[in-house]
Amino acid sequence: MQLSDKKATLSFSDGSPSIELPIYEGTIGPDVMDIRKLYGQTGKFTYDPGFMSTASCGSSITYIDGDKGELLYRGYPIEQLAVNCDFLEVCYLLLHGELPNAEQKKEFDVSINRHNMVNEQMHFFLRGFRRDAHPMAVLTGLVGALSAFYHDSTDISNPRHREISAIRLIAKMPTMVAMAYKYNKGEPYIYPRNDLSYSGNFLRQMFATPCEDYQVNEVVERALDRILILHADHEQNASTSTVRLCGSSGTNPFAAIAAGVACLWGPSHGGANEACLTMLEEIQANGGIEKVGQFMEAVKDKNNPARLMGFGHRVYKNYDPRAKLMQETCKEVLSALGLENDPLFKLAMELERIALEDEYFVERKLYPNVDFYSGIVQRAIGIPTSLFTAIFALARTVGWIAQWNEMLGDPDYKIGRPRQIYIGAAKRDVTPISAR
């Protein structure tokens, strides 16, 4: 952040003296007014539910311009990263600030592979859950439990400990997601193999069995890698802010990331692609593509509970830049698997056509977002709907870690403590129970 020559003046109609607020400039994006001394100088707070107009931190990791439909990781457009890099290259970029050279990439890949197994006692921990437990419930517990197994890397003041924790979380998350899936199915866990790629390894752990190995399809492998890249970070969203707020207390990284997993579970956040596919399946069950127009009319009716999932975005006021990439991937996967005539995909295309042509949706800029296509891709691969959000958590783990690590190195870092405007009862006396 750079202090600007400009200043903001805040005046009050009640005759209180006005104050000047410093203005800081970022590399790109809006300037910010520094209100850290506001309460001390005026005795007043700001009121900003959802923090929609408040910068909680300075960050050099991710930049989003919602009006332009732009997403940058460390300055690199997401469109270029998704085409030219694999997921572990993007992980390295988010963690270290620059893309790795060939030697750095090799060393990083090896370090991830060395830590992809979990302690065998995790198998017993899993047995405490019901077989039909939601994978996100299981994953929240597994991630939080890592701190009980790895005491040697929980000193957050030690940069080496933070680095080891980052490697462990990125490496073990696919194994834990696959274990949650296998536990739900009642199948044996499949151990990782170090000769496979990050995404290829995860696919094998998901779909191989002791009696039949899984041959990784290159198109599917590349598709999963792209899903992970597109979801790796997204600035100060709800789960990332949760990780930062939780981590600001000085808790260990495993606890902070578990908090992020729990937050991501919500249908307004990471659960959106699960909700989107559920919507498509309900339309299919109620008449399929012929009923799409009727459904879209119901969406426009304020008195109808029908909701259009997978369209529009809280941040992007234009087309979600990730959606176009995911649409291309969706077509590639369906073609490679012989599912070009998949009824859900055709139904989704009809939904998209109406949304892009109907004045109601165009005026509101309800364009398809990344969740609209990623759910179809995962379903085609064979991933159950209930596991979609867990895979989102797998992808977002590196972003959470990068943001948490950046926060700990920030000279302005302090424990989070949002304020409030109190609207409850004023001070009053307790009446004895006999007189109430």
Side-chain angles (χ1 to χ4, degrees):
M1 281 191 305
Q2 181 178 345
L3 184 63
S4 171
D5 295 333
K6 298 176 287 185
K7 292 185 184 299
T9 302
L10 181 63
S11 58
F12 303 91
S13 59
D14 62 0
S16 301
S18 61
I19 64 166
E20 282 194 340
L21 300 172
I23 291 180
Y24 284 89
E25 299 173 343
T27 309
I28 46 179
D31 297 341
V32 297
M33 291 179 288
D34 185 351
I35 60 170
R36 283 176 288 184
K37 295 182 180 179
L38 180 66
Y39 179 61
Q41 292 179 350
T42 68
K44 296 177 176 65
F45 301 139
T46 56
Y47 182 60
D48 184 20
F51 309 109
M52 303 305 290
S53 298
T54 300
S56 61
C57 63
S59 180
S60 61
I61 299 171
T62 303
Y63 174 74
I64 298 171
D65 187 323
D67 293 326
K68 292 181 180 178
E70 185 176 63
L71 172 60
L72 309 177
Y73 290 170
R74 301 287 192 181
Y76 293 106
I78 190 64
E79 298 90 337
Q80 295 180 24
L81 291 170
V83 171
N84 297 301
C85 301
D86 68 18
F87 179 62
L88 288 185
E89 283 179 86
V90 173
C91 287
Y92 188 97
L93 170 67
L94 292 173
L95 292 174
H96 299 288
E98 297 293 342
L99 286 167
N101 59 33
E103 186 60 32
Q104 290 168 331
K105 171 74 164 63
K106 182 179 178 182
E107 290 178 5
F108 188 69
D109 287 2
V110 169
S111 67
I112 295 293
N113 282 338
R114 284 178 179 167
H115 289 90
N116 54 20
M117 292 181 67
V118 297
N119 192 294
E120 281 292 291
Q121 287 182 269
M122 279 290 223
H123 296 183
F124 300 105
F125 186 78
L126 264 168
R127 291 179 189 173
F129 294 101
R130 285 173 51 125
R131 288 278 180 185
D132 60 353
H134 194 284
M136 286 297 282
V138 176
L139 191 61
T140 303
L142 291 179
V143 175
L146 288 176
S147 58
F149 292 97
Y150 302 106
H151 302 289
D152 61 338
S153 60
T154 55
D155 180 1
I156 64 170
S157 64
N158 186 323
R160 179 57 182 158
H161 279 211
R162 297 205 301 269
E163 181 183 359
I164 294 170
S165 294
I167 295 296
R168 281 176 169 160
L169 278 160
I170 295 167
K172 297 180 191 305
M173 190 64 80
T175 302
M176 291 188 293
V177 173
M179 286 173 68
Y181 170 69
K182 289 294 194 182
Y183 181 73
N184 177 264
K185 288 199 73 179
E187 292 182 359
Y189 307 124
I190 301 298
Y191 290 92
R193 254 179 42 189
N194 292 351
D195 61 327
L196 297 175
S197 72
Y198 189 85
S199 295
N201 207 2
F202 174 65
L203 287 167
R204 180 179 173 275
Q205 286 183 272
M206 284 280 292
F207 300 121
T209 64
C211 54
E212 186 177 1
D213 206 357
Y214 175 80
Q215 298 302 314
V216 178
N217 181 308
E218 290 184 4
V219 174
V220 171
E221 181 181 16
R222 189 166 62 246
L224 179 60
D225 219 55
R226 181 169 286 189
I227 287 174
L228 299 183
I229 290 171
L230 297 180
H231 291 85
D233 196 55
H234 211 241
E235 208 219 60
Q236 304 308 313
N237 53 80
S239 59
T240 298
S241 298
T242 296
V243 170
R244 278 183 173 261
L245 189 60
C246 182
S248 74
S249 72
T251 190
N252 70 76
F254 305 111
I257 301 305
V261 174
C263 179
L264 190 72
W265 193 356
S268 294
H269 192 7
N273 54 8
E274 182 177 343
C276 180
L277 195 67
T278 299
M279 173 197 73
L280 292 174
E281 289 174 339
E282 288 176 354
I283 298 173
Q284 182 65 23
N286 292 322
I289 197 167
E290 294 179 2
K291 298 294 183 180
V292 169
Q294 182 179 320
F295 172 79
M296 294 298 262
E297 289 301 315
V299 169
K300 293 191 280 187
D301 183 356
K302 292 180 180 179
N303 298 317
N304 195 300
R307 289 187 62 198
L308 181 62
M309 307 301 297
F311 286 78
H313 197 280
R314 194 159 291 148
V315 173
Y316 298 110
K317 305 310 176 188
N318 205 314
Y319 206 88
D320 182 344
R322 302 167 299 171
K324 187 173 186 297
L325 293 161
M326 206 65 249
Q327 184 195 57
E328 294 171 1
T329 297
C330 190
K331 291 177 179 177
E332 289 174 4
V333 168
L334 293 176
S335 176
L337 299 179
L339 299 172
E340 301 94 328
N341 296 317
D342 179 73
L344 278 195
F345 182 65
K346 288 189 172 183
L347 195 156
M349 292 300 95
E350 180 63 11
L351 275 177
E352 181 185 43
R353 184 192 66 77
I354 293 174
L356 294 178
E357 294 177 1
D358 190 298
E359 188 176 335
Y360 177 90
F361 300 102
V362 173
E363 281 183 358
R364 290 161 177 77
K365 297 185 177 180
L366 294 176
Y367 304 109
N369 59 40
V370 68
D371 299 313
F372 184 65
Y373 295 107
S374 64
I376 298 172
V377 173
Q378 291 180 73
R379 173 181 172 273
I381 292 172
I383 296 169
T385 307
S386 62
L387 207 71
F388 287 0
T389 317
I391 290 176
F392 193 158
L394 159 59
R396 186 56 56 85
T397 295
V398 63
W400 289 332
I401 295 166
Q403 297 272 352
W404 169 79
N405 207 26
E406 181 181 64
M407 177 194 68
L408 293 177
D410 188 340
D412 292 329
Y413 153 63
K414 51 176 62 69
I415 187 170
R417 179 57 170 89
R419 298 292 191 167
Q420 66 174 26
I421 177 170
Y422 178 67
I423 56 175
K427 184 179 179 181
R428 50 186 174 169
D429 295 323
V430 175
T431 304
I433 191 168
S434 58
R436 288 179 221 156

